[in-house]
Amino acid sequence: MRIRAIAAAVSGALAHTAQLLLVLALFAAAGGTLTGCGRVAEVRARQVADARARQVADAWDDSEAARAWRKGYHPIGEAVDLPEDAFHDISDKLAYEAQNLALRGQLPATPGKNGRVKWESGASLTLPLMEARQAYEAVARGSNGGPHLTVTGVKLGEMTLSTSRGPATVPAWLFTLDGYDTPLKLAAVRPSKPLTPPVKPVAEGSGDTLQLVRTARDGRSVTVLSSHGACDDGPAVDVLETDGSVVLSASVVGTKEGPCTADLLLEEVTVKLNRPLGDRVLLDAFTGRPVPYERS
């Protein structure tokens, strides 16, 4: 799963490069001189970035997309809950990471077509249930002869995970693993359909430049995966907070002298907020879309 997430982040980072070039063109066209006037260029770039963040916030706040976001089921936490004592040894850990599972027995039929997501506020949402076969294949894609985990039983139960509307109790497939006292859980309902943003991306076809890694328990910070190159000092993420949204703007800082490779680096950046995220929409300034959760 992490390989797919990193691949998505890499794709987004390449789009991010194109977006940065567009930003440079924007403030150069506005009269900034890049050669010999680094400070002027920096100020203009900051102005462009701030204006873009404000544009995204204004478009989303009180929009139909924001209202749909708050009514939907959008996980911002891991859809897989590992056994409490995972893992017993390195072999089991490697087996899980390689998704090398072996099924002993039969998968059960799905009891009904729909399941209910329930929030602490009392709100709920009915969504289609994922069949046991689909759930098993989502965590058991490995097929090599190395270490494996044995699934000895499967049943439908529940799990709690973080969503854009706070903690929710959701239907989950529970996989009993040989040698473990508690099951591996996988959410049995899929997230609501992606929303149509009320604002266009900086560049058409741009990917996700940021991936959400986690939200602090108190909601006062978010950690995102951001990209940068081998010839800079690392990523930076600025934030614009409004009553309805939190807009993150990714960039890179500094440059390094000497030969430069084409390496693409990914780094976690923690952004502190003035108040808890709550049900505000976490947005990427470049794409104009909600920051996707990076599923490991």
Side-chain angles (χ1 to χ4, degrees):
M1 292 183 183
R2 180 166 295 277
I3 291 175
R4 297 197 302 277
I6 291 178
V10 169
S11 175
L14 295 176
H16 188 192
T17 300
Q19 293 160 357
L20 288 176
L21 292 175
L22 178 60
V23 169
L24 291 175
L26 285 173
F27 68 72
T33 303
L34 296 180
T35 303
C37 296
R39 179 57 181 167
V40 173
E42 181 182 343
V43 171
R44 289 190 180 277
R46 181 70 270 155
Q47 291 173 340
V48 170
D50 289 346
R52 171 60 182 179
R54 175 54 62 183
Q55 177 191 31
V56 171
D58 289 346
W60 271 90
D61 288 356
D62 297 321
S63 68
E64 184 60 36
R67 286 188 285 274
W69 172 265
R70 295 187 180 94
K71 292 179 181 178
Y73 165 59
H74 303 283
I76 57 174
E78 185 54 69
V80 176
D81 191 3
L82 297 177
E84 293 176 0
D85 51 346
F87 287 100
H88 291 171
D89 52 42
I90 188 62
S91 293
D92 283 1
K93 182 178 180 181
L94 290 174
Y96 174 73
E97 292 176 347
Q99 296 184 289
N100 206 22
L101 275 66
L103 177 64
R104 183 191 301 167
Q106 300 294 318
L107 292 169
T110 304
K113 294 183 177 181
N114 298 314
R116 186 173 293 274
V117 178
K118 297 171 286 186
W119 283 273
E120 294 179 347
S121 64
S124 64
L125 187 63
T126 299
L127 294 169
L129 274 175
M130 183 190 306
E131 293 183 357
R133 171 61 61 182
Q134 291 176 298
Y136 177 74
E137 291 176 350
V139 295
R141 289 193 172 96
S143 59
N144 61 66
H148 68 272
L149 292 165
T150 301
V151 177
T152 60
V154 183
K155 66 178 182 180
L156 191 65
E158 292 182 331
M159 67 180 287
T160 300
L161 55 76
S162 298
T163 77
S164 59
R165 299 165 63 178
T169 300
V170 304
W173 286 107
L174 313 184
F175 298 95
T176 301
L177 302 180
D178 188 25
Y180 289 84
D181 295 331
T182 57
L184 181 152
K185 304 177 182 179
L186 175 67
V189 289
R190 301 187 187 279
S192 298
K193 293 182 179 179
L195 305 170
T196 300
V199 60
K200 292 183 178 180
V202 170
E204 290 298 332
S206 60
D208 298 315
T209 66
L210 296 170
Q211 300 269 331
L212 178 62
V213 177
R214 58 183 169 273
T215 303
R217 189 176 297 275
D218 61 4
R220 289 189 173 274
S221 70
V222 294
T223 298
V224 294
L225 193 67
S226 189
S227 58
H228 67 101
C231 293
D232 56 59
D233 294 327
V237 179
D238 293 319
V239 59
L240 171 66
E241 297 187 54
T242 71
D243 289 340
S245 64
V246 173
V247 185
L248 302 181
S249 301
S251 62
V252 294
V253 294
T255 57
K256 296 179 180 179
E257 299 295 334
C260 180
T261 65
D263 294 343
L264 184 67
L265 306 176
L266 302 173
E267 186 173 327
E268 289 188 3
V269 179
T270 297
V271 181
K272 294 183 179 179
L273 307 179
N274 291 327
R275 59 188 177 89
L277 178 62
D279 66 351
R280 293 183 293 171
V281 188
L282 185 67
L283 299 166
D284 185 324
F286 286 104
T287 66
R289 297 190 293 263
V291 177
Y293 177 68
E294 186 267 331
R295 289 171 175 79
S296 59

